[in-house]
Each structure stands twice: as C-alpha cells, then as structure tokens.
Amino acid sequence: MANPSPGNSITLRVEAPSSFTATSELAAAVSAAGAAVTALDVTESHHDTIVVDVTCNTTDEEHADRIKAALNALDGVTVQHVSDRTFLMHLGGKLEVVPKVALRNRDDLSRAYTPGVARVCMAIAEDPAAARNLTVKRNTIAVLTDGSAVLGLGNIGPAAALPVMEGKAALFKQFANVDAWPVCLDTQDTEEIIMIAKAMAPVYGGINLEDIAAPRCFEIENRLREELDIPVFHDDQHGTAIVTLAALHNALRVVDKKLSEVKIVVSGVGAAGSAIIQLLKAQGAQHIVAAGRSGAIHSGQKYDDEHRSWIAANTNEEGFAGSLHEAMTGADVFIGVSAPHVIGEEQVAAMADKAIVFAMANPTPEIDPLVASKHAAVVATGRSDFPNQINNVLAFPGFFRGLLDAGASDITPEMLVAAADAIANRVADAELNASYIIPSVFDPHVAADVATAVANAAHAAAAAKATSAL
C-alpha cells in the first residue's frame, strides 16, 4: 500500500466528549487507521463537548473515508465535516495579478495609463526592442501546454492541465521571482500551437513548454527556437536532463566512478530520455544503452521517430538488441524516465558493484526505492518522500532567471551544462553521501547560483557570436 502523503491531506472537524484524553484518543484512532496525524487543533470548547480539527495525511479518497468511519465509531464522537486540503489550496486558482505601481491619484493614472502611456507606446513602436525594458516582457514567461502529457495522467486536455501550469507559475515566482502565466491551448495540432505561440510572443520574454506529448513536443520546440527571438525551453526534456546530470555527477563522486567509463542504461526514450542521453553524451558518456517498450534501441533497427533514430546512431556501440532487463546486467547506472515497476530486485542485483539507480517515474517509480537500495549504492527518485529527489524545480526557475537577466534569445548546450554544474556544486564535499547527492529544492541559493551560471554562459555565447561576426 502507498504511504500517506501531503498530497492527500485532509482535515476532519470532529465533535467529541470533553475529557483530558479526548484528543489523544482521536489521534490514536486516526493512526490505527493508517494515516499520519500532522495537527490537532481545538476550535471550540463547551462544558460537555469539544470540537477538534484533526489534520492528517492519507493515501487516497477511500482511505479518507476509512479515517472518517474510524472516528465516527468512537463513543460520543461525530465527524461534522471533512475538508480536502489540496482542493482547498486550489480553490479559485493559485495565482493573481498584482500591480507593481501605485495608482493613488490622477497624477499616477496619467502616467500609468492615458495620456502618458502613449509616449511609451510610441517609443516601442519606433524601437520594438525597447519592449523588453518597458513592459512585462522583461520578467514574464509563458508556461505553455496543450494538456496532452500531463504528469503521469496522460492526455487530459487544457482545462485539466491548468492546475499544474498554475503550480509551475507559482514555483517560478517563489524560487526566482520570474512572473509566469499559464497558457493552456485547446488544440493539439502542431502547426496551430506553433502559430499561436508565435502570435503571442511579443508579450513574453521566454516560453516554457510543458507536458506536450512526444514526438509533437520536439517539432514544436525546434520550430519555435528557429522562428522566435526569445528563448524556448522544454522543461520535460531539458529541465529533467539538467537535474539528472547534476545528480549523476555527484552520485559518481560517491561511488568513485567516471562518466566516460560507466555503462548507463536508460529506460524511456520519450522527451526526457532523449534529452538526458544527448546531454550525457555531450559530457563524455561513452557507454549508453536506451530501451523503450520493445527493448533496446540499436542501429540494426529502422525507426520512424527521428529521436529514436538519433539514439540508435549515437549509443549502444555494441549493437545490443535485447530487453531492458537483459541490458541491466553489469550496468553501473540505471536511469528511469518511463513507467512504474518496469524493473525488479533481480535486475538491480545483476548490476555492477556500487551501482546507481535513478528511478524517476512519478508518482510510482520504476522500482520501489527501498528494494533498489538493497543492492544499489545510490538510489534517487522523483519523489519528495525519499532521499535524493531529482526535481526539475532545482533547474527551471533559476534557468529562466538567468535567461531573462542576460536578455538571451536562445538556449545553448553550454547553458544546460552550466546549470547542472551549479546545482551539483551546491552539495559541498563535506555534505556529500549516498543519501545526499542533490540539494534540497528549498535551498535558497540554488536558483541564484543557476541564474548566475546561465547568465554567464549566455553572455559568453553572445560575446563569441559578436567576435565571429567581425
């Protein structure tokens, strides 16, 4: 059974007899039913009764119903109401627009709006580049999706994707002071998505593509990067690749192995898997075998997908054509960006000594991390309830902060590597161990370090371009 999670947190308003042991009896009943109590608050007190808000983490809605039944079964206890704390957080959305300037009188209004605003409009009309400094474009990005590949939920459409995009925008603001806005498109036509993104680009300093299914996401990103003068970043690809590279860099330090020498098996050849492989190759990885549902990708097979074709031509130099399970024999590193439970204890046990396992499928990883840890030296997941969470939030806020600060118009591989190095370097030598290869998402220095590294890389790229043009 899954562990209780804050994602399934509830508050039960309970009326109980007033006694010295009332709250402890409520807590005991909730714990006995398998939930994790996080708070007990007495909200009302009377001569004979008290009203208590019992907050706890559960596993799912059915579990919440069992908690309610367990409390109602106690003598004299009545559950008055159950609130789902996750739904309450989303009530009315998670974002709002707040003016940066005060509008206190006619003088303020005359400068912020008419007639004074006309002068600014004309300045931009004469020099369109001025929009980057004189409008929200300077600090605003679009979080753009078509809702076709949302988390592990699949093709749920734009309206259902909106809570995820709101959350992403909130993270941008919280961690890097980047203003981001959800743009959820009611189309899954590649050309239409590209057309809409190009048409709205004047408002934004960058576009973060999110949860768009492969292979469509590749075409959209490639075209927009070619046809727009603002950076376009596909987080499912490049954000995941950045944080994976950072974590692997430190994991290899723990086990004292070199990237150029280890055998790496990648499960999943979609957007994330392809980007991870490309970045690892660029950093010197020599021995990679990637596997999809039908087994290893190899040069002896023809593929309709250009990304699988690239993987076939640039990895698996020995032409291995077996299954994922067979590929793992003797492997030093397993990187999973695929599906739940695709490997078991037997496969991890067959890996090389001091093996590294990154089981990053969310919310259910490729293997139970506790099972993997029986045989692997380092284990990481995408989850927050296990050590070594490989989370894109370590990368994308600071990455865009750096792009915006530098006024970058494109993204280079050097920027991706610089971001990965900045994240990896947040773990000091004295801190590094098998359970701490990646910094916390709440490390206040991560976003700033990533931003500085990306901005420096952007400035270096601009300088090199200027020099070559001479």
Side-chain angles (χ1 to χ4, degrees):
M1 189 177 89
N3 295 321
S5 162
N8 288 287
S9 178
I10 60 172
T11 297
L12 306 99
R13 178 151 289 185
V14 181
E15 183 180 69
S18 55
S19 70
F20 184 73
T21 60
T23 54
S24 60
E25 290 171 4
L26 296 176
V30 170
S31 298
V37 178
T38 57
L40 285 166
D41 300 293
V42 177
T43 61
E44 296 180 27
S45 179
H46 308 283
H47 288 300
D48 299 321
T49 62
I50 58 173
V51 177
V52 183
D53 281 350
V54 181
T55 302
C56 59
N57 295 338
T58 67
T59 57
D60 52 30
E61 293 180 10
E62 187 274 333
H63 190 199
D65 290 339
R66 286 192 280 118
I67 302 302
K68 178 180 178 181
L71 290 174
N72 277 329
L74 298 175
D75 287 342
V77 171
T78 303
V79 177
Q80 297 178 337
H81 182 70
V82 181
S83 299
D84 186 311
R85 297 178 68 224
T86 297
F87 275 78
L88 286 176
M89 176 181 279
H90 289 253
L91 194 62
K94 302 187 290 295
L95 303 174
E96 64 178 352
V97 175
V98 179
K100 290 171 63 178
V101 296
L103 301 175
R104 299 158 299 192
N105 49 47
R106 289 177 183 271
D107 181 73
D108 291 341
L109 193 61
S110 294
R111 288 180 291 117
Y113 197 48
T114 187
V117 71
R119 296 178 55 230
V120 181
C121 292
M122 290 309 298
I124 296 171
E126 293 169 8
D127 178 14
R132 190 179 285 271
N133 285 329
L134 295 174
T135 72
V136 294
K137 187 181 184 80
R138 180 173 182 167
N139 197 56
T140 304
I141 67 164
V143 181
L144 189 150
T145 188
D146 64 357
S148 60
V150 181
L151 299 177
L153 306 175
N155 189 354
I156 60 176
L162 182 54
V164 176
M165 304 310 127
E166 285 186 13
K168 195 90 175 190
L171 293 172
F172 271 112
K173 186 65 175 178
Q174 179 73 28
F175 290 105
N177 196 30
V178 171
D179 295 314
W181 195 255
V183 179
C184 300
L185 304 182
D186 193 11
T187 176
Q188 295 184 358
D189 178 85
T190 297
E191 291 301 323
E192 196 167 11
I193 292 170
I194 292 169
M195 179 193 70
I196 294 170
K198 290 172 64 178
M200 72 181 198
V203 178
Y204 298 101
I207 295 176
N208 183 94
L209 299 175
E210 191 77 22
D211 293 347
I212 300 174
R216 185 166 62 253
C217 61
F218 301 123
E219 171 71 9
I220 292 169
E221 185 202 12
N222 290 341
R223 287 275 303 282
L224 290 179
R225 289 185 64 175
E226 289 174 4
E227 299 174 28
L228 288 176
D229 63 353
I230 57 174
V232 178
F233 183 80
H234 186 200
D235 187 50
D236 299 313
Q237 290 185 71
H238 305 304
T240 304
I242 288 168
V243 185
T244 301
L245 176 60
L248 183 57
H249 173 83
N250 283 342
L252 290 171
R253 288 170 60 200
V254 170
V255 299
D256 194 25
K257 295 183 181 182
K258 295 181 179 179
L259 181 63
S260 60
E261 298 174 356
V262 293
K263 176 186 175 183
I264 302 170
V265 174
V266 178
S267 173
V269 287
S274 298
I276 289 168
I277 291 166
Q278 290 181 39
L279 194 55
L280 292 178
K281 284 283 295 183
Q283 283 301 100
Q286 299 293 319
H287 311 292
I288 301 175
V289 174
R293 293 185 181 90
S294 57
I297 305 296
H298 59 92
S299 58
Q301 175 105 19
K302 296 293 183 183
Y303 300 95
D304 296 331
D305 176 358
E306 64 175 295
H307 287 83
R308 281 179 168 80
S309 297
W310 185 92
I311 292 171
N314 290 278
T315 66
N316 194 359
E317 68 280 1
E318 295 180 0
F320 175 79
S323 68
L324 168 65
H325 287 187
E326 292 168 337
M328 290 186 65
T329 300
D332 298 281
V333 179
F334 169 83
I335 298 174
V337 279
S338 51
H341 308 305
V342 296
I343 62 170
E345 182 175 354
E346 179 182 351
Q347 284 73 51
V348 179
M351 294 177 70
D353 185 40
K354 297 191 292 184
I356 296 167
V357 172
F358 289 179
M360 298 189 293
N362 245 333
T364 306
E366 285 79 2
I367 184 173
D368 184 324
L370 297 177
V371 173
S373 67
K374 294 180 182 178
H375 304 282
V378 180
V379 178
T381 73
R383 295 176 58 119
S384 60
D385 51 351
F386 290 98
N388 299 328
Q389 183 190 19
I390 298 178
N391 191 323
N392 288 16
V393 75
L394 288 163
F396 65 79
F399 199 90
F400 266 98
R401 178 75 275 150
L403 293 174
L404 293 170
D405 289 347
S409 60
D410 198 9
I411 295 168
T412 65
E414 289 78 15
M415 295 179 193
L416 305 181
V417 172
D421 287 343
I423 294 168
N425 291 337
R426 283 305 310 159
V427 179
D429 289 341
E431 298 174 309
L432 183 66
N433 61 62
S435 297
Y436 192 68
I437 59 168
I438 199 82
S440 165
V441 297
F442 295 106
D443 183 329
H445 301 288
V446 170
D449 286 1
V450 171
T452 299
V454 171
N456 288 341
H459 289 311
K465 185 175 181 180
T467 301
S468 64
L470 295 176

